[in-house]
Amino acid sequence: MPLINRSIPNLFNGVSQQPASLRLPSQAEEQVNGVSSVVNGLSKRPPTTFEAKLNTDISEDRFVHTIKRDKVEAFKVLITNGDLKVYNLTGVEQTVTFPDGKTYLASPNPLESFACVTVADYTFIVNKDVVVAKNAAVSTGTDRGSKQQFVDLPTSGTVGDVWEISGTGTNAFDSYFVSWSTAGVWRETLKVGIQTSLNASTMPYRLVNNGDGTFTCSQNDWAARYVGDDVSASFPSCVGKTIGDVFFHRNRLGFISGENVIFSRAGSFFNFFPETVTLVLDTDPVDVAVSHTKVAILRHALAFNTSLMLFADQAQFQLTAKDILSPKTAVINVTTEFEIEAGAKPTTSGTSIFFGVTKGDHSGIKEYLVQPLTYTNDASDLTAHVPKYIPKNLFKLASSNLDNAVVGLSKDERNVIYVYRYYWSSPDEKVQSAWSKYTLDSDAVILDADFRNTNLDLTVKRSDGTYLETLNMQDGVDADLGFNVLLDQKTSVTGIYDAVNDWTTWTLEYPVSDVFRVVLGSAFTGKRASVITPTAPTSNTLRCLGNYSLGSVYIGRPYTFTFKLSPIIYKDDKQIATVHNKLKLKNFEILFAETGFFKVEVTPDGRSLYSYKYTGKILGNVDVIIGDVIISSGKFRFPVMGDSIKSTITITNDTITPCSFQAAEWEGMISSGSKHV
């Protein structure tokens, strides 16, 4: 039996649910709380940092919207059943006034009922359950009858006189109406006795940043119809229906309603009526329906590149226009026919659009990839190799082109963030397509996740209220210790020493338990980064015997990184699995960098589990300081001694110190039960 060895060149391609013989060597059976990076390899994810407690609300169905005013200033908008609150990122609640009341904000299921879009300091809010209506008021005036041509009108009249210009057989225009004005001329006007305006209480509201730390949530001043009739200047098609989404595209405010896409007049966001009915102007409103053999109720609209992507339950469309978007140039074409996850609004990153699709009891993610000057009519399945990984009922997707990452949240696993990392080495070659998941503690309910620069902002419901936590996707460093202390809900606190009882107490802004850990900061020479297990005498305090008041400490909740390697399959030089060969693994070696701890658990075929730990403290290492954590790089070798397919190898790290893995290598004995012909 010859002894052979093979290398696994990297470990950054995440989870695969394919049979082991079809997987890439760099793909895993399981990856939890691990970051897949083409730069740093596989590492334990950064921690969540406690930013602020927003309120004491513990409901789970809130709608969360992020207002990103600029690179520094941002706000969180939380909508509940009948109320709306705004917070800055330090947790300070902003004053919001409601001059028109809060009736429009009523919904038994805010998470599914609301949609928002922010344009500068205006945030437009749509309640998808509210049916748009007209106001009862009608146009006034005296109906004087009709004339065929404008030149047939009398040379004068009484203010309020309205004539219809019906046209002749040689005219190409529809009829229109004129009235005698106070200026002594005939001007285009409305037909007498028709409704003129939208009911603002049933139309989207606006949340305005007043620039002084306050906000105003009110009705919009929607422009009234002032020319034509119900044929030549009809109300927008959303009247009598609900609005499904709101967007901004090509200097127009837009809605989707049923099968229709509705744009305001160009540059006039609150006007959905034409300026004149005698001509079709390029600035006129656009109201166009999608055309398909299936029922195509539109769920989401996403402005992308120069087009507008439209998502219905069973089909996707693209609205385009040459040069100028106008009633004459708007065209909608079917692009694909996928059954989407309607609860999660698609997200964009660079030249890609990511959207959720339904896969029975699970969800998938598709990617539209748009090359410059071209459009694709297909979308690649990013979850083809993990078809049963993401639970159904996606309700949020977010993406970052800085981190090459997409995250998804599902109602079926509220404490889990599903993470997709990708990397294109060229426009035609994607070298990374990695799925994994981040988990918070079992009591956490993630209400929202949104990227802000390199931070993933999490809005999290806990037992006593709602919190804002941040996960730095670039894996920052705690400067005083030289590495990132890996504790969720991490915060820095200085304790108070009680000499009588010889104990130190730390008071926190959120409830804690004896699950939490205390990590000593740089002030504790010789004990830097030492981990202390405290008690929790009250809901918001931790306590340890001894004097630890010398300086600040890090406090947070431990979490575990898990990486379960795929079964090792022997493949020939052409990377084809050979079923007649049997491989018995002898040893494994892992290349690591900037690592303080990890544990390898090996379960050989038919035998009990063996555990091998790397602690960073190597005998003879001149850098070892008693009490301080050592972060090192090197290789770690351990035995397996079992059948390659039936043996399992799992790497874990439940400590505060980082771990990073670049590659692996194995050696084993090959035997053949038969001769391959």
Side-chain angles (χ1 to χ4, degrees), residues 25 66 182 244 273 314 361 379 409 488 524 538 628 676:
T66 304
T182 56
F273 296 105
Q314 301 179 71
D361 289 334
L409 304 178
D488 275 348
F524 300 88
T538 67
D628 276 9
H676 181 61

Side-chain angles (χ1 to χ4, degrees), residues 241-252:
K241 304 175 185 177
T242 59
I243 295 175
D245 199 5
V246 57
F247 58 89
F248 185 77
H249 183 55
R250 292 202 180 188
N251 203 31
R252 296 173 184 262

Side-chain angles (χ1 to χ4, degrees), residues 154-161 163 180-181 184 186:
T155 57
S156 65
T158 303
V159 173
D161 286 353
W163 290 88
W180 186 256
S181 70
W186 295 104

Side-chain angles (χ1 to χ4, degrees), residues 1 567-570 582-588 602-608 610 612 638-649 666-671:
M1 293 190 297
I568 303 299
I569 304 293
Y570 176 73
K582 183 176 181 180
L583 173 63
K584 182 177 181 180
L585 288 177
K586 293 190 63 179
N587 298 300
F588 224 90
V602 178
T603 306
D605 178 25
R607 303 200 302 278
S608 58
Y610 294 85
Y612 308 96
F638 56 90
V640 179
M641 300 300 178
D643 184 285
S644 65
I645 297 178
K646 299 179 181 178
S647 299
T648 62
I649 302 172
W666 54 264
E667 62 180 23
M669 307 290 290
I670 283 288
S671 62

Side-chain angles (χ1 to χ4, degrees), residues 132-138 190 194-199 203 222-227 229-240 260 262 272-274 285 287:
V132 177
K134 307 174 187 176
N135 279 325
V138 298
L190 276 172
I194 63 173
Q195 290 168 288
T196 62
S197 59
L198 295 161
N199 186 336
M203 288 287 285
W222 304 101
R225 176 170 60 172
Y226 56 88
V227 296
D229 57 17
D230 288 333
V231 175
S232 60
S234 61
F235 276 85
S237 58
C238 58
V239 172
N260 281 68
I262 308 154
F272 287 83
F273 296 105
D287 195 334

Side-chain angles (χ1 to χ4, degrees), residues 616-628 630:
K617 296 181 180 180
I618 303 173
L619 187 62
N621 189 335
V622 295
D623 295 326
V624 171
I625 302 174
I626 301 301
D628 276 9
I630 301 301

Side-chain angles (χ1 to χ4, degrees), residues 277-316:
V277 300
T278 61
L279 296 170
V280 177
L281 304 178
D282 288 340
T283 57
D284 278 351
V286 178
D287 195 334
V288 59
V290 299
S291 178
H292 199 269
T293 55
K294 301 176 183 178
V295 176
I297 303 300
L298 299 176
R299 302 297 183 185
H300 305 290
L302 193 67
F304 183 70
N305 206 347
T306 59
S307 64
L308 183 74
M309 300 300 301
L310 303 167
F311 296 83
D313 287 335
Q314 301 179 71
Q316 293 73 53

